[in-house]
Amino acid sequence: MIVNITEMYILLNYLIAIIVSITVALTLKLPLLPEEPRRFSWTTSALFPTPIITIGLLAIIYSINFFWICDGTVLAIIIAILSGLSVKYLFDYIFPKPNIGESNE
C-alpha cells in the first residue's frame, strides 16, 4: 500500500523527533553542551550527536517508505527515544574515545 505523505508531515516529524530526542537525553542526565574546549571534546551531549543520530535513522526508515501510525509521527517518537537511550548507554561502546597524546611505540 502506498501512502501519500506530504513534505510538511515529514518536516514536522523530524522536528518532533529532534525535540523528543533532546528531551530524552536531558532526562537521562546528559549535558546540554560538551565540555570545554568544545572543538576537541569527545564527550556526548544532548545537542550532539543525539539529534543527528535521530535524523539519520529516521531518514533511512522514511527512504524505504515505512510510515507506521499517524503518518510516521509515532515512529519518529519511538526512534527519538531509542536514539537517546543508545547515545547514553551504547555510544561509547560503538565509537570508543581516541587515545590523544599517547604514542604507539
Side-chain angles (χ1 to χ4, degrees), residues 10 13-25 28 49-64 66-69 71-88 90:
I10 292 176
N13 288 340
Y14 282 138
L15 185 64
I16 290 170
I18 289 170
I19 292 169
V20 170
S21 68
I22 290 173
T23 306
V24 167
L28 293 172
T50 310
I52 309 304
I53 291 174
T54 303
I55 291 172
L57 289 175
L58 203 57
I60 290 170
I61 290 174
Y62 284 168
S63 69
I64 60 172
F66 183 71
F67 298 98
W68 193 35
I69 300 172
D71 298 329
T73 306
V74 175
L75 186 65
I77 292 171
I78 291 171
I79 294 295
I81 292 171
L82 290 177
S83 69
L85 289 171
S86 68
V87 166
K88 173 68 175 178
L90 297 175

